[in-house]
């Protein structure tokens, strides 16, 4: 992955964007030698973030209600009402969708 600092980005934005478009390889943007952002192509952005299946409002509401219910329980063993889901972390991961 190519790295650029914030100054290079400001001075050569057009050149950096052309390289991104040409190679399709993400570009790490650093400020004060710390990673701050990653530039990706629009195609990659759409595939990774916009084209993910999103749960319906009803499903999200049900998941939030289940999270609230699980959070109130103190017993270590929880009977899952959703097949394969027995903890808050799994519920949140399911709500977010698959990682690519």
């Amino acid at each position: 992955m190519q790295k650029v600092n914030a100054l290079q980005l400001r001075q050569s934005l057009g050149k950096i964007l052309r390289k991104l478009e040409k190679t399709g390889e993400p570009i790490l943007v650093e400020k004060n030698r710390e990673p701050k952002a990653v530039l990706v192509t629009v195609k990659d952005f759409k595939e990774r973030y916009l084209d993910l299946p999103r749960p319906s409002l009803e499903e999200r509401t049900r998941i939030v209600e289940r999270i609230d219910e699980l959070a109130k329980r103190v017993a270590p063993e929880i009977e899952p009402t959703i097949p394969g889901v027995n903890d808050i972390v799994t519920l949140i991961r399911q709500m977010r969708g698959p990682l690519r």
Side-chain angles (χ1 to χ4, degrees):
M1 178 181 302
Q2 180 187 354
K3 295 179 185 179
V4 297
N5 63 42
L7 179 61
Q8 291 169 320
L9 184 64
R10 282 193 302 268
Q11 292 176 342
S12 305
L13 179 60
K15 180 180 174 183
I16 293 168
L17 289 177
R18 283 190 297 278
K19 185 168 186 171
L20 174 65
E21 185 177 20
K22 182 180 177 183
T23 66
E25 182 182 344
I27 299 172
L28 179 67
V29 180
E30 295 180 334
K31 184 174 182 182
N32 299 324
R33 296 186 179 147
E34 292 183 23
K36 296 296 181 182
V38 176
L39 298 176
V40 296
T41 63
V42 173
K43 179 182 175 242
D44 283 350
F45 178 78
K46 285 180 181 179
E47 288 175 358
R48 292 174 191 226
Y49 301 103
L50 300 181
D51 293 342
L52 294 176
R54 300 286 182 202
S56 67
L57 178 60
E58 180 180 276
E59 178 69 11
R60 288 192 307 257
T61 302
R62 190 174 68 76
I63 291 170
V64 169
E65 288 171 355
R66 180 69 177 134
I67 289 171
D68 289 342
E69 178 185 321
L70 288 170
K72 291 177 186 176
R73 291 186 180 201
V74 250
E77 295 184 7
I78 300 170
E79 294 180 24
T81 57
I82 304 170
V85 177
N86 58 4
D87 61 26
I88 292 173
V89 172
T90 306
L91 282 169
I92 292 170
R93 285 181 177 154
Q94 188 178 71
M95 187 170 67
R96 287 183 179 162
L99 297 176
R100 294 185 185 190

